[in-house]
Amino acid sequence: MMGNRSSATEFCLLGFPGSQELHHLLFAIFFFFYSVTLMGNTIIIVIVCVDKRLHSPMYFFLGHLSALEILVTSIIIPVMLWGLLLPGMQTLSLTACVAQLFLYLAAGTTEFVLVGAMAVDRYVAVCNPLRYNIIMNSHTCIWVVIVSWVFGFLSEIWPVYATFQFTFCKSNLLDHYYCDRGQLLKLSCDDTLFTEFVLFLMAVVIIIGSLAPTVVSYTYIISTILKIPSASGQRKAFSTCASHFTFVVIGYGSCLFLYVKPKQTQAAEYNKIASLMISVLTPFLNPFVFTLRNDKVKEALRDSMKRCC
């Protein structure tokens, strides 16, 4: 516990409740998820780079999305695994807490922008196929990726700076497995209401702003697919978008619950569950969603395995 006037210089993560045996079980589960996430997303990046059949805008974006998933999980899960192994509480310095929160939010914001760009790419491919190669040329794709990364990292500088300008004098115990912003604000003795409202508005702009082109794009995509006369043509058109749409539903659902709310200091139990969806489940499902539902990726994987054998 901290004094009434001094601010915390390090934070103790309470992590998950329960016995040491439960912690060991959770460690095994999350270690499996993390290993599969790293391996699966790395395989996607490699085959997108190596296989010429996947040298198109959709897979170019998918490679960057996989890199972001690796980054998100590597920011959160190793710290969480270390906390599950250690008896008692895990301690993070103020600098480590700032770095973890910034990288996590920046990678997440970049991912939102990229997912929105992928939706627009699918719209052009399905609704305007004759001009697809002209609109989504290599120059456009490179600039979309650069803007996504730069915007993601620049847009989170002020929110993280504003969060750590408060005095954390109530306690240095964070009821979470990483430096969650909502739990940090709970420890502040200052009035955080205005900052929380600004953070809420920024979350609305970023999340809803990237969700809007996704919703509009898929409205036009579904409308166009339904106009295709043959059932096989409809299945082929929908298969190119189904994997991305599945990813959108899981990722946006969790983030809307976690960040788009006026009061950032929500109950820790709900925050932990929603954060697990974003940092563990979505990156874990990403390789399966984009490979099992994509014929080109499956074909590239089969050919790569044959060459290796």
Side-chain angles (χ1 to χ4, degrees), residues 3-293:
N4 289 331
R5 294 183 177 277
S6 60
S7 183
T9 57
E10 62 179 23
F11 298 95
C12 297
L13 305 179
L14 297 181
F16 296 94
S19 63
Q20 197 64 29
E21 289 76 16
L22 176 61
H23 284 188
H24 290 161
L25 176 62
L26 290 175
F27 175 87
I29 294 172
F30 291 137
F31 182 77
F32 168 76
F33 272 67
Y34 183 52
S35 301
V36 173
T37 299
L38 289 182
M39 183 172 63
N41 284 287
T42 301
I43 289 173
I44 287 178
I45 294 171
V46 171
I47 63 170
V48 166
C49 293
V50 171
D51 199 301
K52 292 183 179 180
R53 289 169 295 183
L54 303 182
H55 289 179
S56 66
M58 175 182 175
Y59 302 105
F60 177 68
F61 295 145
L62 177 57
H64 282 269
L65 183 65
S66 296
L68 284 165
E69 298 289 29
I70 292 174
L71 180 59
V72 168
T73 53
S74 298
I75 292 164
I76 300 296
I77 297 185
V79 176
M80 181 174 65
L81 292 176
W82 188 245
L84 288 170
L85 277 183
L86 291 175
M89 292 177 293
Q90 185 182 12
T91 302
L92 281 183
S93 67
L94 181 63
T95 303
C97 196
V98 172
Q100 187 187 49
L101 181 61
F102 173 73
L103 290 174
Y104 178 63
L105 294 177
T109 303
T110 304
E111 196 169 310
F112 283 132
V113 180
L114 196 58
V115 168
M118 291 176 72
V120 174
D121 170 72
R122 291 300 83 207
Y123 160 75
V124 178
V126 174
C127 301
N128 203 348
L130 297 179
R131 299 188 61 199
Y132 179 71
N133 291 329
I134 299 173
I135 298 173
M136 300 303 297
N137 56 59
S138 58
H139 182 75
T140 301
C141 294
I142 291 171
W143 270 107
V144 166
V145 167
I146 291 174
V147 169
S148 299
W149 283 89
V150 171
F151 175 79
F153 279 75
L154 289 182
S155 64
E156 293 301 334
I157 292 176
W158 183 86
V160 174
Y161 172 79
T163 300
F164 286 95
Q165 287 303 297
F166 294 115
T167 303
F168 305 108
C169 55
K170 290 182 180 179
S171 171
N172 66 340
L173 302 179
L174 277 177
D175 191 5
H176 219 293
Y177 53 82
Y178 78 99
C179 282
D180 175 63
R181 182 167 62 195
Q183 299 305 308
L184 281 168
L185 294 175
K186 276 187 176 182
L187 305 182
S188 176
C189 299
D190 305 321
D191 183 8
T192 63
L193 188 61
F194 176 74
T195 300
E196 287 185 56
F197 180 70
V198 175
L199 294 175
F200 162 72
L201 291 180
M202 291 188 68
V204 169
V205 171
I206 292 171
I207 297 177
I208 304 299
S210 61
L211 181 60
T214 303
V215 172
V216 172
S217 296
Y218 273 99
T219 301
Y220 280 105
I221 287 170
I222 294 171
S223 175
T224 303
I225 290 175
L226 293 176
K227 293 176 183 177
I228 298 175
S230 65
S232 60
Q234 289 183 353
R235 284 196 299 270
K236 183 178 179 181
F238 186 73
S239 66
T240 64
C241 307
S243 55
H244 178 255
F245 185 73
T246 304
F247 181 87
V248 166
V249 171
I250 298 172
Y252 275 98
S254 304
C255 291
L256 285 169
F257 174 81
L258 190 60
Y259 295 113
V260 183
K261 56 185 188 293
K263 192 68 176 173
Q264 296 286 312
T265 54
Q266 197 169 348
E269 292 77 14
Y270 297 108
N271 275 6
K272 288 178 184 178
I273 294 171
S275 297
L276 284 174
M277 294 285 290
I278 299 168
S279 60
V280 178
L281 184 61
T282 305
F284 172 79
L285 291 177
N286 183 54
F288 299 101
V289 167
F290 282 102
T291 55
L292 296 180
R293 299 192 62 90

